[in-house]
């Protein structure tokens, strides 16, 4: 009978995300992830086959769980727009330095250049779009946005604003990323009202 796993795949994939943030997908090693997760590189090889296998598992997991932060925030806030701000702040907290953002953008480069990764990146994008549309539709129902709001277009603009605000912060180093993102979203949503 096999021994139960002391460290779950979920914990390992979370450690993979931290290793990507610290080193980038090109420079991180199985030893980096192993140190983050408390497992040996050999264990990672047994479970995922290779560094590429681990990165693909990370991409699959990210796509499968892309809507989770939005649903979690919605459950925690009466206001759909407050939930949207909470998700944005959570994302900003994951980007503590411009270097960390650059390392995560290395994963985006992999997503764009490798067809096997691109499939999962597209699924992630579609899941986020759907979660944003759901939140914004709920905001219309709650009277936080006007009834004539073009939800798909606003959802796209929210995602562009979120990504662009964080990228601009990483390029300039000006201000607090969470505060900047909050202000940019307020400006966008104020124009939608």
């Amino acid at each position: 009978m096999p021994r139960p796993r002391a460290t779950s795949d979920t914990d390992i994939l979370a450690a993979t995300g931290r290793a990507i943030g610290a080193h980038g997908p090109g420079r991180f090693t199985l030893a980096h992830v192993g140190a983050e997760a408390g497992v040996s590189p050999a264990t990672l090889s047994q479970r995922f086959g290779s560094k590429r296998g681990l990165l693909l598992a990370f991409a699959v997991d990210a796509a499968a769980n892309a809507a989770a932060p939005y649903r979690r925030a919605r459950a925690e806030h009466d206001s759909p727009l407050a939930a949207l701000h909470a998700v944005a702040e959570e994302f900003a907290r994951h980007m503590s330095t411009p270097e960390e953002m650059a390392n995560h953008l290395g994963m985006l480069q992999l997503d764009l250049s490798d067809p096997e990764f691109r499939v999962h990146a597209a699924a992630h994008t579609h899941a986020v779009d759907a979660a944003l549309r759901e939140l914004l539709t709920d905001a219309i129902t709650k009277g936080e946005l006007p009834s004539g709001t073009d939800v798909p277009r606003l959802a796209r603009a929210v995602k562009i604003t979120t990504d662009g605000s964080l990228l601009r912060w990483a390029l300039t180093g000006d201000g607090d990323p969470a505060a900047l993102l909050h202000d940019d979203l307020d400006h966008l949503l104020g124009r939608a009202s």
Side-chain angles (χ1 to χ4, degrees):
M1 177 175 194
R3 286 187 326 189
R5 293 179 172 179
T7 304
S8 70
D9 285 354
T10 300
D11 292 338
I12 290 171
L13 295 174
T16 302
R18 292 190 301 275
I20 290 169
H23 307 285
R27 293 188 324 265
F28 92 85
T29 65
L30 293 180
H32 289 129
V33 176
E36 282 282 338
V39 298
S40 71
T43 298
L44 295 173
S45 291
Q46 289 171 347
R47 288 200 204 174
F48 300 98
S50 64
K51 176 180 168 178
R52 180 180 174 81
L54 177 59
L55 282 170
L56 277 168
F58 177 77
V60 168
D61 182 69
N65 293 300
Y70 298 91
R71 291 190 183 117
R72 188 171 49 251
R74 185 62 188 105
E76 295 170 357
H77 293 85
D78 290 333
S79 160
L81 294 185
L84 179 62
H85 279 291
V87 172
E89 288 171 18
E90 179 182 337
F91 292 157
R93 282 193 306 271
H94 291 294
M95 301 297 160
S96 59
T97 66
E99 294 78 18
E100 186 173 11
M101 176 109 181
N103 288 335
H104 284 289
L105 287 174
M107 191 68 196
L108 177 61
Q109 183 179 11
L110 183 59
D111 289 338
L112 294 173
S113 64
D114 186 312
E116 200 169 358
F117 283 88
R118 191 168 40 249
V119 168
H120 304 298
H124 185 281
T125 299
H126 293 305
V128 169
D129 287 346
L132 284 169
R133 287 192 305 268
E134 187 176 318
L135 265 181
L136 295 172
T137 299
D138 199 11
I140 292 169
T141 301
K142 294 268 191 178
E144 294 182 326
L145 290 172
S147 61
T149 299
D150 183 342
V151 170
R153 186 171 185 183
L154 183 56
R156 184 172 182 262
V158 165
K159 184 62 174 143
I160 290 167
T161 298
T162 302
D163 293 348
S165 184
L166 289 174
L167 182 58
R168 185 177 189 290
W169 162 78
L171 289 169
T172 65
D174 294 339
D176 171 63
L180 293 168
L181 187 49
H182 186 88
D183 289 346
D184 287 342
L185 283 175
D186 273 351
H187 178 74
L188 173 67
L189 294 170
R191 294 186 63 163
S193 295

